[in-house]
Amino acid sequence: MNTPATRLQQLLAFYADDPTDAFTIYALATEYRAQEPERAWEFYQKLLNEHADYVGTYYHAGKLLEEFGRKDEAEQVYQKGLVAAKQAGQQHAASELRQALNSCLGLDYEDE
């Protein structure tokens, strides 16, 4: 009796078939994020280097860098993501990236 493939196994099979597919790379990064963040980072880096127009990458890559304590790098990722989102006309993504950047920089205070 065959057991069904896990989501990770399926994604790895898709990746083996086409290691250039941005959606599959992003899905793998997401899948690895909780249990193997360093492995997730490898996939985020691949997206940042090879698919700079894949706007969804920037927020999550930046947050992971912040979790690693690499705030300067996270700031750079957010900045590049803002440019990519604006170029793609993705205003909602740009707004989320601006909020993440402000938080990273400690500028997310509330008026009292």
Side-chain angles (χ1 to χ4, degrees):
M1 182 167 128
N2 289 338
T3 58
T6 66
R7 183 172 45 221
L8 179 59
Q9 289 169 330
Q10 289 174 330
L11 289 170
L12 289 169
F14 293 150
Y15 184 69
D17 287 342
D18 183 1
T20 65
D21 181 67
F23 180 78
T24 300
I25 299 166
Y26 180 82
L28 280 165
T30 301
E31 192 68 23
Y32 278 117
R33 174 111 194 228
Q35 300 299 321
E36 296 182 55
E38 292 292 340
R39 184 76 173 124
W41 175 243
E42 292 173 21
F43 286 105
Y44 284 132
Q45 277 187 303
K46 183 173 179 67
L47 285 165
L48 293 169
N49 293 331
E50 299 174 16
H51 301 280
D53 60 342
Y54 200 82
V55 175
T57 303
Y58 293 93
Y59 179 89
H60 298 287
K63 287 296 181 187
L64 188 56
L65 284 168
E66 286 190 73
E67 289 174 22
F68 291 160
R70 296 161 54 183
K71 288 198 174 215
D72 290 345
E73 291 173 75
E75 178 184 345
Q76 292 173 6
V77 167
Y78 294 139
Q79 298 272 10
K80 289 177 184 175
L82 274 169
V83 171
K86 289 176 183 177
Q87 287 175 341
Q90 295 187 23
Q91 297 308 317
H92 181 74
S95 175
E96 288 181 337
L97 286 161
R98 171 61 61 197
Q99 288 176 338
L101 176 60
N102 286 345
S103 177
C104 182
L105 296 173
L107 302 175
D108 59 342
Y109 57 87
E110 293 186 23
D111 292 333
E112 294 184 22

